[in-house]
């Protein structure tokens, strides 16, 4: 099999010849790999099976205009993203930020409607098809990565507390914000599909460590229909595109709803929050998985042998047809030993299916 054939067959639970590797490194870990391994580009060094295609490029979208929406000015050095969300730097992290929400203090629908949202309908996508072509020419999988799709997009702007209140009150503000987030995300998703990506990676965090972030009722009222509509639009453009969906935390009660909405691969199945064997028994014939190797536990605290055993055990659970793109469940932070990263890679590359292969 080629890399592309192997990856797609694995994800579609049609068998595979080898296990690909993938992870995300924090800036500190990137520097470690560069200094100790000579890995200037760790995706190339470790031969990841996929590469990302750049999102639509907004035209004349100056994020400085959003500063006026903060009654308390943003901290010095804060960044503003394309949605106007402020990101104040944390003294304890190189990449985590404290978010400020530009719509938090708005009280009327008119104020919300008049906010200058990014307009992806007028964005430039001329680069995407060429990037897809170049990625595929290298026998790699082309990904459109747009996690933070509907729920997170809306609450980042409004604040979680205010948006939950809007939802519970059936406030028209919630209706407008979710429609706006879904509209813009659908435009982006459709552009990726038209450009020919193999994988569309969407998602919103809807789980916490031991419970859902919201009830099933709220999820099905506000999020699920919009997610399903986005996926339908994408599949109408390209039925072969594979839909990945990310949510950290415990989300088991919502997995059937994600399957109904059209999600085909679920990421990351945090081992600290859900048991992969149990999840696979219930849903493994309907959906595939990406992740499962804990970044709160085994990756930072386990031995290299324990990392390998976690990888092999989960691949055994998935079975000979595949359906698991095994990987760490989140970004690898500075406390993860390089030896454990290398142990994960070695475990994938030396794995043999039960009974031999």
């Amino acid at each position: 099999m080629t890399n592309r054939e192997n990856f797609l067959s694995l994800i579609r639970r049609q068998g595979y010849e080898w296990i690909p590797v993938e992870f995300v490194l924090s800036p500190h870990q990137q520097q470690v790999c560069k200094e100790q391994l000579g890995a200037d580009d760790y995706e190339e060094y470790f031969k990841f099976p996929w590469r990302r295609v750049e999102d639509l490029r907004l035209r004349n979208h100056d994020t400085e205009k959003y500063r006026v929406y903060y009654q308390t000015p943003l901290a010095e050095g804060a960044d503003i993203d394309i949605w106007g969300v402020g990101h104040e730097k944390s003294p304890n992290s190189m990449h985590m930020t404290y978010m400020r929400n530009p719509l938090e203090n708005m009280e009327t629908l008119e104020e919300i409607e008049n906010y200058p949202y990014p307009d992806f309908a007028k964005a430039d996508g001329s680069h995407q098809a060429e990037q897809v072509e170049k990625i595929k020419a290298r026998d790699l999988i082309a990904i459109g990565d747009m996690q933070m799709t509907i729920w997170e997009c809306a609450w980042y702007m409004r604040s979680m507390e205010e948006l939950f209140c809007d939802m519970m009150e059936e406030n028209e503000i919630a209706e407008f914000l979710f429609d706006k987030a879904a509209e813009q995300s659908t435009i982006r998703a459709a552009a990726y599909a038209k450009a020919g990506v193999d994988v569309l990676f969407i998602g919103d965090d809807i789980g916490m460590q031991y419970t859902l972030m919201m009830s099933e009722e709220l999820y099905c009222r506000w999020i699920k229909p919009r997610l399903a509509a986005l996926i339908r639009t994408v599949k109408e453009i390209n039925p072969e595109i594979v839909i990945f969906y990310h949510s950290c935390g415990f989300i088991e009660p919502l997995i059937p709803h994600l399957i109904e909405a059209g999600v085909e691969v679920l990421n990351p199945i945090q081992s600290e929050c859900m048991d992969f064997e149990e999840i696979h028994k219930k849903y493994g014939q309907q959906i595939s998985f990406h992740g499962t190797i804990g970044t709160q536990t085994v990756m930072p605290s386990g031995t290299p042998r324990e990392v390998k055993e976690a990888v092999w055990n989960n691949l055994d659970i998935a079975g000979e047809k595949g359906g698991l793109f095994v990987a760490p469940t989140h970004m690898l932070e500075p406390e993860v030993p390089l030896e454990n990263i290398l142990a994960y890679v070695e475990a994938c590359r030396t794995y043999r299916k039960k009974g031999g292969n």
Side-chain angles (χ1 to χ4, degrees):
M1 288 184 178
T2 66
N3 172 71
R4 288 177 50 79
E5 290 169 344
N6 184 73
F7 180 91
L8 293 171
S9 186
L10 169 74
I11 286 300
R12 291 169 176 157
R13 305 185 296 282
Q14 296 172 346
Y16 62 93
E17 292 183 355
W18 70 89
I19 298 295
V21 302
E22 185 271 342
F23 46 82
V24 178
L25 296 183
S26 66
H28 171 83
Q29 293 286 21
Q30 291 181 42
Q31 189 62 31
V32 168
C33 284
K34 184 174 182 179
E35 292 174 356
Q36 298 194 30
L37 303 176
D40 291 330
D41 182 337
Y42 70 92
E43 294 188 358
E44 290 288 338
Y45 182 88
F46 289 105
K47 296 181 171 58
F48 287 11
W50 59 19
R51 294 295 184 276
R52 285 165 174 77
V53 174
E54 187 182 349
D55 203 345
L56 293 174
R57 297 170 181 167
L58 291 167
R59 304 175 191 269
N60 304 316
H61 188 67
D62 182 8
T63 59
E64 287 299 307
K65 65 188 174 189
Y66 292 115
R67 290 191 184 274
V68 299
Y69 290 93
Y70 294 96
Q71 295 176 7
T72 301
L74 296 174
E76 184 177 351
D79 296 320
I80 303 175
D81 68 22
I82 60 173
W83 299 94
V85 178
H87 297 268
E88 297 178 342
K89 294 177 172 56
S90 166
N92 302 315
S93 174
M94 294 179 64
H95 63 276
M96 299 297 288
T97 64
Y98 173 71
M99 282 194 296
R100 298 278 304 280
N101 319 105
L103 309 185
E104 182 175 13
N105 296 312
M106 294 185 181
E107 298 180 355
T108 67
L109 178 61
E110 184 178 12
E111 289 177 291
I112 299 288
E113 289 175 331
N114 290 333
Y115 182 75
Y117 300 93
D119 186 359
F120 284 97
K122 298 178 181 178
D124 177 17
S126 59
H127 55 284
Q128 291 184 316
E130 182 181 358
Q131 288 182 11
V132 169
E133 183 178 355
K134 288 181 177 179
I135 290 169
K136 291 183 177 181
R138 297 179 59 203
D139 190 30
L140 297 169
I141 295 292
I143 317 175
D145 193 350
M146 44 177 287
Q147 299 171 50
M148 193 192 91
T149 308
I150 298 173
W151 160 242
E152 285 188 334
C153 183
W155 85 251
Y156 285 6
M157 289 186 287
R158 178 64 166 153
S159 87
M160 186 180 290
E161 294 84 354
E162 291 297 327
L163 187 53
F164 268 134
C165 289
D166 297 335
M167 294 160 70
M168 294 299 294
E169 295 170 359
E170 292 282 330
N171 193 310
E172 55 191 354
I173 287 176
E175 205 78 56
F176 178 86
L177 276 177
F178 284 129
D179 282 345
K180 177 62 71 173
E183 172 195 57
Q184 294 301 310
S185 289
T186 301
I187 292 169
R188 296 164 64 202
Y192 275 129
K194 291 173 184 175
V197 298
D198 302 291
V199 168
L200 181 67
F201 208 143
I202 57 179
D204 291 301
D205 282 339
I206 50 178
M208 297 185 287
Q209 193 79 359
Y210 304 114
T211 189
L212 297 176
M213 194 174 286
M214 67 185 77
S215 68
E216 282 187 69
E217 181 182 4
L218 281 178
Y219 183 80
C220 291
R221 161 68 176 90
W222 294 101
I223 315 299
K224 179 182 176 181
R226 293 173 170 89
L227 177 68
L230 182 152
I231 294 173
R232 280 197 303 272
T233 296
V234 167
K235 286 289 191 175
E236 286 170 1
I237 296 168
N238 178 9
E240 297 302 311
I241 199 168
V242 181
I243 306 296
F244 276 58
Y245 185 93
H246 166 84
S247 175
C248 290
F250 172 80
I251 62 166
E252 184 185 345
L254 298 182
I255 292 176
H257 298 295
L258 293 170
I259 293 170
E260 287 179 8
V263 172
E264 295 166 297
V265 184
L266 186 58
N267 161 278
I269 312 296
Q270 282 184 262
S271 60
E272 301 85 3
C273 308
M274 296 184 290
D275 180 80
F276 177 60
E277 185 168 15
E278 180 181 337
I279 295 295
H280 188 270
K281 283 180 181 177
K282 291 182 178 179
Y283 308 109
Q285 300 303 310
Q286 302 168 273
I287 195 168
S288 295
F289 306 95
H290 173 221
T292 76
I293 305 303
T295 53
Q296 296 175 343
T297 49
V298 68
M299 287 304 297
S301 303
T303 65
R305 180 67 190 181
E306 288 170 335
V307 171
K308 292 178 182 179
E309 288 175 349
V311 170
W312 294 333
N313 180 66
N314 288 355
L315 289 170
D316 283 347
I317 291 169
E320 63 180 12
K321 295 298 184 182
L324 172 61
F325 182 12
V326 67
T329 56
H330 210 276
M331 180 179 288
L332 296 177
E333 303 284 2
E335 63 267 23
V336 177
L338 178 59
E339 291 77 13
N340 283 1
I341 299 174
L342 298 178
Y344 155 74
V345 173
E346 184 180 355
C348 292
R349 290 179 176 165
T350 60
Y351 176 71
R352 295 293 179 266
K353 300 175 189 178
K354 271 190 171 180
N357 65 349

